[in-house]
């Protein structure tokens, strides 16, 4: 690819015509940087050049923390150049990196155009690394829409749609469809139209995505962002409760700059041509997690992004397996279970999985194909560093690879007789299930439990199962720790801190009619439905975020040291403030549990 073609494929240079691109390419100077080289140093005066990453990656560093990771096509140094102020960060090559150095005078005029101003505004909208106002991840997406709504009927030409987008100052146009759904055409779609040589006089319906994936206005930004990452989209129409399109949410509206690199990692995994390529791409997850943590991205968001990346690895491995084995004889869906399904994964999380096919229960061909596929996928995941669940909740186990009818029959059996062996454990796994690959439109296995409220015996049993895990609070204002063996003196954050909250949230969520969902979402639904008091739900959610944050911080330090991540911390190593916060959180969770125990004993629940 020529320098001009490379620049023209990325904003803000995609707004230039061929002659302007050729002129800019003529003054662009390639620079080769070895890994660890400081390309721009913090505190230096405004640069005479701005730079574009051509290959490799560049870390944006401030105060010893990595605030952002820039990939090919991303621009840096332009803010200091435009403001005339010293650089507020250092730019350091991660791995062998090539940059294109562009004279400031050649770029300044471009950044003064409407398209350039939009680029500058978007790149500076979210301050790096620090909190400046409410966290967008915790706000409803209806409050995060910045760009004006731009719409056009399907009969509009592509050229007219592009003109409307320019006039509106929007990066996407929404297209109402006759069935009540909507289509969408984005600036990325327009670049594809130009690259493919499509006639811009063609109807908009020939280039748009329809139906577009949409989000309800009351969904939280962090939850929608994870879905955007999972689906590989950067624009989503936001709908009011009545189905009216309120506007289009962009990833930059909700995601911190440090998180945007996750899109690139997911894209590299999706392009991997072999299992070895998938494994190589997946190795980027560890530095990504460390970088996100260092940039003070919330632990819940890091956990969600981790799950999205593991989903992408799984999806690509399934695609490669299907390419070798042939298409499944029956429509097939790969399900994530456990923390991956809830998008609460950390580096130590194992992979719980299941398979479901549409068709007869006793289909030998479907079962054999599913097992062969699962063996390949789990082997690939293991090679990429994601170990399978050691307790057998894996898609190679016939108990977790069944037809939908067999799954549904088993679930109905657990509803009728929850005293069956391992019923509480299996219900807890299945109700978390989330589709990762395959037929997403097929009946969802967890949906069988939506009427769990009509089965009080099951709910009571699940409630008692959830209450079996107690926070590790001792009698002498201390924690219960391991008393012998190599883990002596250590506290298990997962077993003692997270599991009690996760299990209570699942039980309370099921009582509220909620199945597959994250722990915080289940707690909020339970509070809204009255199955938990708002105060109890808030207590549990606060404890969840505290323990998850400690768990992630502990494992990040282990990753830095080249150690295998685990959940065991030494309370004496925690600060006095952290110990006090953790102790109070455990006590609050224990208090909620005692109230629920009393209600179950009295038959209130």
């Amino acid at each position: 690819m020529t320098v001009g073609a490379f620049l023209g494929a990325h904003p803000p240079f995609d707004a230039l015509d061929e002659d302007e691109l050729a002129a800019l390419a003529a003054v662009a100077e390639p620079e080769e940087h070895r890994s660890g080289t400081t390309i721009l140093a913090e505190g230096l005066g405004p640069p005479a050049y701005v730079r574009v990453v051509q290959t490799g990656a560049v870390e944006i560093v401030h105060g010893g923390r990595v605030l952002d990771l820039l990939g090919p096509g991303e621009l840096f140094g332009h803010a200091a150049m435009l403001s005339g102020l010293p650089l507020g960060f250092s730019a350091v090559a991660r791995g062998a990196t090539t940059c294109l150095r562009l004279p400031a005078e050649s770029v300044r005029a471009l950044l003064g155009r409407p398209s350039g101003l939009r680029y500058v505004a978007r790149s500076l909208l979210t301050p790096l690394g620090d909190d400046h106002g409410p966290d967008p991840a915790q706000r409803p997406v209806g409050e995060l829409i910045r760009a004006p709504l731009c719409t056009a009927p399907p009969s509009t030409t592509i050229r007219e749609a592009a003109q409307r987008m320019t006039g509106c100052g929007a990066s996407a146009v929404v297209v109402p469809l006759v069935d009540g759904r909507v289509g969408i055409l984005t600036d990325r779609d327009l670049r594809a139209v130009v690259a493919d040589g499509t006639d811009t006089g063609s109807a908009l319906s020939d280039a748009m995505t329809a139906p577009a994936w949409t989000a309800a206005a009351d969904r939280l930004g962090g939850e929608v962002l994870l879905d955007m990452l999972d689906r590989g989209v950067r624009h989503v129409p936001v709908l009011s409760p009545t189905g009216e399109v309120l506007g289009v949410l962009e990833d930059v509206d909700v995601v911190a700059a440090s998180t945007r690199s996750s899109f690139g990692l997911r894209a590299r995994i999706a392009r991997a041509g072999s299992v070895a390529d998938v494994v190589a791409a997946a190795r980027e997850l560890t530095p990504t997690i460390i970088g996100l943590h260092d940039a003070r991205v919330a632990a819940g968001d890091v956990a969600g992004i981790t799950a999205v990346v593991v989903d992408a690895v799984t999806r690509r491995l399934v695609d490669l397996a299907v390419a070798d084995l042939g298409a499944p004889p029956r429509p097939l869906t790969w399900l994530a279970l456990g923390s991956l399904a809830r998008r609460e994964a950390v580096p130590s999380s194992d992979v719980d999985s299941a398979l479901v096919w549409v068709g007869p229960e006793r289909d030998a061909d479907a079962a054999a194909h599913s097992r062969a596929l699962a063996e390949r996928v789990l082997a690939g995941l293991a090679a990429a560093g994601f170990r399978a669940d050691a307790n057998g909740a894996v898609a190679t186990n016939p108990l977790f690879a069944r037809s939908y009818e067999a799954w549904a029959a088993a679930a109905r059996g657990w509803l009728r007789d929850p005293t069956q062996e391992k019923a509480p454990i299996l219900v807890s796994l299945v109700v978390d299930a989330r589709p990762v690959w395959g037929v997403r439109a097929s009946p969802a296995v967890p949906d069988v439990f939506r009427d769990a409220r009509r089965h009080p015996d099951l709910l009571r049993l699940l409630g008692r199962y959830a209450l079996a895990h107690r926070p590790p609070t001792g009698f002498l204002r201390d924690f219960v720790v391991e008393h012998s063996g190599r883990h002596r003196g250590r506290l298990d954050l997962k077993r003692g801190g997270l599991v009690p909250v996760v299990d209570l949230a699942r039980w309370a969520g099921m009582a509220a009619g909620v199945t597959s969902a994250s722990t915080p979402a289940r707690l909020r639904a339970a509070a809204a439905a009255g199955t938990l008091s708002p105060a109890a739900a808030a207590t549990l959610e606060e404890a969840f975020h505290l323990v998850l944050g400690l768990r992630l911080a502990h494992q990040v330090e282990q990753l830095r040291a080249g150690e295998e991540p685990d959940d065991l911390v030494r309370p004496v190593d925690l600060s006095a403030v952290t110990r006090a916060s953790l102790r109070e959180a455990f006590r609050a969770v224990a208090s909620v549990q005692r109230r629920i125990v009393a209600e179950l004993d009295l038959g209130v629940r």
Side-chain angles (χ1 to χ4, degrees):
M1 181 184 293
T2 66
V3 170
F6 173 80
L7 292 172
H10 302 283
F13 309 107
D14 54 355
L16 300 176
D17 61 31
E18 290 185 4
D19 291 339
E20 291 171 318
L21 278 174
L24 189 60
V27 297
E29 300 176 44
E31 297 176 328
E32 302 287 342
H33 299 285
R34 289 181 298 178
S35 182
T37 302
T38 299
I39 303 169
L40 292 176
E42 184 172 354
L44 291 180
Y49 298 87
V50 297
R51 287 166 172 83
V52 180
V53 182
Q54 188 174 27
T55 62
V58 172
E59 293 178 338
I60 302 301
V61 182
H62 173 64
R65 293 191 295 115
V66 178
L67 304 182
D68 201 3
L69 181 65
L70 307 183
E74 297 197 75
L75 186 68
F76 61 100
H78 55 289
M81 181 269 290
L82 289 172
S83 67
L85 297 174
L87 283 162
F89 60 83
S90 294
V92 180
R94 178 193 277 188
T97 299
T98 303
C99 295
L100 295 175
R101 189 172 71 173
L102 304 172
E105 61 268 22
S106 299
V107 179
R108 189 175 283 108
L110 164 63
L111 296 180
R113 296 180 181 182
S115 58
L117 289 173
R118 284 200 298 272
Y119 176 87
V120 172
R122 288 173 184 161
S123 66
L124 302 180
L125 269 175
T126 307
L128 298 175
D130 298 307
D131 292 328
H132 294 263
D135 181 3
Q138 299 303 317
R139 293 172 60 194
V141 293
E143 299 177 5
L144 300 176
I145 300 168
R146 291 190 177 98
L149 177 61
C150 181
T151 62
S155 58
T156 306
T157 66
I158 298 172
R159 184 184 305 108
E160 291 169 340
Q163 291 169 347
R164 288 197 186 198
M165 289 166 59
T166 302
C168 293
S171 59
V173 60
V174 175
V175 186
L177 304 177
V178 293
D179 59 1
R181 295 183 289 181
V182 298
I184 191 169
L185 181 83
T186 69
D187 49 6
R188 185 166 60 176
D189 296 329
L190 289 175
R191 289 197 294 274
V193 165
V194 173
D196 295 341
T198 303
D199 181 8
T200 57
S202 301
L204 177 57
S205 56
D206 293 340
M208 69 181 182
T209 299
W213 176 67
T214 60
D218 60 354
R219 290 192 64 196
L220 295 183
E223 296 171 357
V224 173
L225 170 65
L226 293 177
D227 280 335
M228 294 171 75
L229 282 165
D230 188 37
R231 296 169 184 269
V233 300
R234 294 191 168 184
H235 299 78
V236 54
V238 176
L239 305 183
S240 73
T242 60
E244 175 190 2
V245 180
L246 301 177
V248 174
L249 184 77
E250 299 182 50
D251 66 305
V252 293
D253 295 329
V254 66
V255 63
S258 55
T259 311
R260 287 200 289 271
S261 60
S262 305
F263 281 101
L265 174 55
R266 183 189 176 283
R268 288 196 295 279
I269 293 168
R271 292 194 299 266
S274 66
V275 172
D277 291 340
V278 174
V279 170
R283 292 195 185 105
E284 284 296 309
L285 179 57
T286 292
T288 296
I289 290 172
I290 294 173
L292 292 170
H293 176 264
D294 289 349
R296 300 182 186 177
V297 175
D301 293 337
V302 178
I305 290 167
T306 300
V308 166
V309 172
V310 178
D311 283 354
V313 171
T314 304
R315 195 175 293 119
R316 188 61 187 140
L317 290 172
V318 175
D319 285 336
L320 293 171
V322 168
D324 285 343
L325 297 172
R330 299 284 182 180
L332 190 68
T333 302
W334 182 285
L335 300 175
L337 308 176
S339 61
L340 282 173
R342 299 189 305 274
R343 287 180 173 152
E344 295 165 4
V346 293
S348 68
S349 297
D350 53 17
V351 178
D352 298 347
S353 58
L355 280 169
V356 54
W357 65 81
V358 179
E361 176 181 350
R362 300 183 184 282
D363 188 322
D365 290 340
H369 188 282
S370 295
R371 182 171 182 82
L373 182 145
E375 287 173 348
R376 293 191 178 213
V377 172
L378 293 179
L381 285 167
F386 309 120
R387 65 181 184 276
D389 174 59
N391 296 314
V394 290
T396 50
N397 183 343
L399 187 62
F400 289 89
R402 316 186 192 190
S403 71
Y404 172 77
E405 285 304 323
W407 275 115
R412 288 191 290 267
W414 299 327
L415 287 168
R416 287 192 303 269
D417 180 12
T419 63
Q420 295 180 58
E421 184 181 4
K422 296 184 179 180
I425 297 174
L426 293 171
V427 170
S428 298
L429 283 167
V430 172
V431 81
D432 284 354
R434 178 174 56 79
V436 171
W437 180 95
V439 190
R440 294 194 182 210
S442 64
V445 174
D447 286 350
V448 177
F449 296 100
R450 286 198 184 278
D451 66 346
R453 288 169 291 186
R454 296 170 51 193
H455 298 270
D457 290 343
L458 173 66
L459 286 179
R460 272 194 291 273
L461 189 64
L462 288 175
R464 297 190 184 283
Y465 174 74
L467 294 166
H469 300 96
R470 300 299 178 95
T473 54
F475 294 103
L476 300 177
R477 306 179 66 84
D478 204 349
F479 299 110
V480 175
V481 296
E482 299 292 331
H483 294 293
S484 62
R486 64 190 183 95
H487 299 318
R488 182 178 180 182
R490 297 181 184 269
L491 170 68
D492 190 326
L493 288 174
K494 177 183 176 182
R495 186 177 64 185
L498 282 180
V499 170
V501 178
V502 169
D503 286 352
L504 274 177
R506 183 186 296 109
W507 162 76
M510 289 180 66
V514 175
T515 53
S516 182
S518 68
T519 296
R522 283 169 166 161
L523 291 171
R524 291 192 294 270
T531 57
L532 282 178
S533 71
T539 294
L540 294 174
E541 185 170 357
E542 184 176 348
F544 172 82
H545 288 301
L546 173 65
V547 178
L548 181 63
L550 289 174
R551 189 184 184 202
L552 179 66
H554 168 66
Q555 294 189 10
V556 163
E557 292 311 310
Q558 291 180 307
L559 292 175
R560 285 192 215 278
E563 300 171 359
E564 189 73 19
D566 60 33
D567 296 302
L568 301 167
V569 300
R570 286 164 32 103
V572 295
D573 292 338
L574 302 175
S575 71
V577 172
T578 300
R579 283 200 305 273
S581 298
L582 194 58
R583 188 181 298 114
E584 289 306 311
F586 286 169
R587 287 177 174 171
V589 172
S591 177
V592 173
Q593 288 182 321
R594 285 194 295 271
R595 289 196 297 272
I596 294 173
V597 166
E599 292 175 356
L600 287 172
D601 288 344
L602 292 172
V604 175
R605 294 179 183 272

